Amino acid sequence: MTSPKETAPKAPAQPPVTDRLLQQFTGYNLKRAYLVIETELHRILKDHDLRVTSFSALAIIVENPGLPQTALANALQIERSSTVVIVDALEGRDLIQRNKVATDRRAYALVATLRGRQMFETIAALIHMVENRIQSGLTDADRAVLTAHLRSIRDGGDTTT
Amino acid sequence: MTSPKETAPKAPAQPPVTDRLLQQFTGYNLKRAYLVIETELHRILKDHDLRVTSFSALAIIVENPGLPQTALANALQIERSSTVVIVDALEGRDLIQRNKVATDRRAYALVATLRGRQMFETIAALIHMVENRIQSGLTDADRAVLTAHLRSIRDGGDTTT
DNA sequence: TATTGTTATACTCTATAACTATA
DNA sequence: TATAGTTATAGAGTATAACAATA
């Protein structure tokens, strides 16, 4: 394998260079499949001036009204200090509010505004549409099998359901 | 749904906040499954002081000896100027070389050194092991189905093979 | 005039550490 | 003493723009 053809012919400029090896990996196929959805996700979020982290924050706040910033940081797996910027931005756009907590005057209770909930619902619907379109080549049975397999990989083997 | 329980109880600090919605998406399951492999990949690469982009660059150069930096930039989907830093680092560690091109004195022909090829092979073997371990819960048939499904998603529906 | 590689610079995202006000 | 949120700062990674050498 890998015959030493050290001499390069010309090398076209477009997308010629595919790395054969990486394509063998399931991880690579997984990534490529995920990238299809991620790209669509980015496109949708861009229309609403959100990045993935901001949208995740919004989603978490919508689904967990009243949580403090530290819990948000844990959920997003980022540092507390980094949430400040994100929360600032969401608050500045009137998508969420920092409410006072009666029992602990250090903490904030984060809640989504009506506007925030509406934007979240809108985006969620768009994502669902993308999902449906992308999965149009799969039957319901296929989809179930796929989900089971992904879960199996995620959990490190097993499942087989 | 989403009853307005705007009052927050206490909010535990650990990993309590799961966003129900995101978990419905296949894209999310895809991401979680991919993250399992990506995490392992990062761990392996860290041992060799490489990041994903650096390793991709090395892989591409190993598989396409002699390609110029512009082609590498295209393959990696980054700017030409950004390849300079990456190529500098790989060259500084004697993993690749910048060779002169007789026919075009502006360009370089990038080739991996023996050391670079060996490191690449070592890492590739480690990745294969991770793949095998992670897929241990899947039969060969399962794996084939999974790959077909991933391809289907990647190509935007169809395949059904 | 266009292209290869380079440099200088700026921008985005995140982490670290130090601070404040509470607890 | 510990914790919630904040600030200032630094770092990693990448893009943009201008440049020299060559085509």
Side-chain angles (χ1 to χ4, degrees):
Chain A
M1 49 214 83
T2 62
S3 56
K5 50 161 183 170
E6 239 73 28
T7 52
K10 192 60 175 143
Q14 282 309 13
V17 185
T18 47
D19 27 338
R20 280 187 292 122
L21 181 122
L22 289 180
Q23 294 180 21
Q24 301 173 32
F25 299 138
T26 297
Y28 187 83
N29 291 321
L30 219 44
K31 178 168 195 174
R32 296 246 311 172
Y34 173 63
L35 278 183
V36 170
I37 294 181
E38 193 184 40
T39 300
E40 292 291 323
L41 179 62
H42 283 153
R43 189 182 53 70
I44 291 171
L45 293 181
K46 194 175 184 182
D47 290 342
H48 295 267
D49 248 303
L50 288 171
R51 288 167 300 105
V52 174
T53 305
S54 319
F55 175 67
S56 297
L58 177 60
I60 290 166
I61 293 168
V62 167
E63 298 277 341
N64 303 274
L67 87 166
Q69 282 184 202
T70 297
L72 179 62
N74 290 336
L76 291 173
Q77 306 210 61
I78 61 178
E79 289 298 311
R80 272 177 310 154
S81 63
S82 299
T83 64
V84 177
V85 186
I86 296 167
V87 169
D88 278 352
L90 293 176
E91 189 184 36
R93 295 173 60 188
D94 192 34
L95 298 174
I96 66 167
Q97 286 181 333
R98 280 176 166 108
N99 286 347
K100 289 290 184 184
V101 175
T103 57
D104 188 341
R105 287 193 295 173
R106 294 173 303 182
Y108 286 130
L110 302 177
V111 291
T113 62
L114 173 61
R115 187 149 176 274
R117 287 195 296 273
Q118 286 174 343
M119 180 174 288
F120 169 73
E121 296 296 343
T122 301
I123 292 172
L126 289 171
I127 294 175
H128 271 302
M129 286 176 56
V130 168
E131 289 258 319
N132 291 337
R133 181 170 56 71
I134 284 173
Q135 293 182 344
S136 61
L138 303 181
T139 66
D140 282 355
D142 283 343
R143 204 173 304 190
V145 171
L146 174 62
T147 301
H149 288 175
L150 291 178
R151 209 180 315 254
S152 168
I153 289 174
R154 191 184 74 198
D155 300 337
D158 261 307
T159 309
T160 330
T161 314
Chain B
M1 29 217 91
T2 63
S3 55
K5 49 159 185 172
E6 239 75 27
T7 53
K10 193 59 177 147
Q14 283 309 13
V17 184
T18 47
D19 28 337
R20 281 187 291 124
L21 181 122
L22 289 180
Q23 295 180 21
Q24 301 172 32
F25 299 140
T26 296
Y28 186 82
N29 291 322
L30 219 44
K31 179 171 196 173
R32 296 247 310 172
Y34 173 62
L35 279 183
V36 170
I37 294 181
E38 192 183 41
T39 301
E40 291 292 323
L41 179 62
H42 283 152
R43 188 181 54 69
I44 291 170
L45 294 182
K46 194 175 185 181
D47 289 341
H48 296 266
D49 249 302
L50 288 171
R51 288 167 300 104
V52 174
T53 305
S54 319
F55 174 67
S56 297
L58 177 59
I60 290 167
I61 293 168
V62 167
E63 298 279 341
N64 303 274
L67 88 167
Q69 284 185 201
T70 298
L72 179 62
N74 290 337
L76 292 173
Q77 306 211 61
I78 61 179
E79 290 298 313
R80 270 177 311 155
S81 62
S82 300
T83 64
V84 177
V85 186
I86 296 166
V87 169
D88 277 353
L90 293 176
E91 189 184 35
R93 296 174 58 189
D94 191 35
L95 298 173
I96 67 167
Q97 285 182 333
R98 281 175 164 106
N99 286 347
K100 290 288 185 185
V101 175
T103 56
D104 187 342
R105 288 192 295 172
R106 294 173 303 179
Y108 285 129
L110 302 176
V111 291
T113 62
L114 174 61
R115 187 150 176 271
R117 287 194 296 274
Q118 286 174 341
M119 180 173 289
F120 170 73
E121 296 295 344
T122 301
I123 293 173
L126 289 172
I127 294 176
H128 271 302
M129 287 176 56
V130 169
E131 290 257 318
N132 290 336
R133 181 170 57 71
I134 283 174
Q135 293 183 343
S136 60
L138 304 180
T139 65
D140 283 355
D142 284 343
R143 205 172 303 190
V145 171
L146 175 62
T147 301
H149 288 174
L150 291 179
R151 208 179 316 253
S152 168
I153 289 173
R154 192 185 72 197
D155 300 337
D158 261 309
T159 308
T160 330
T161 313

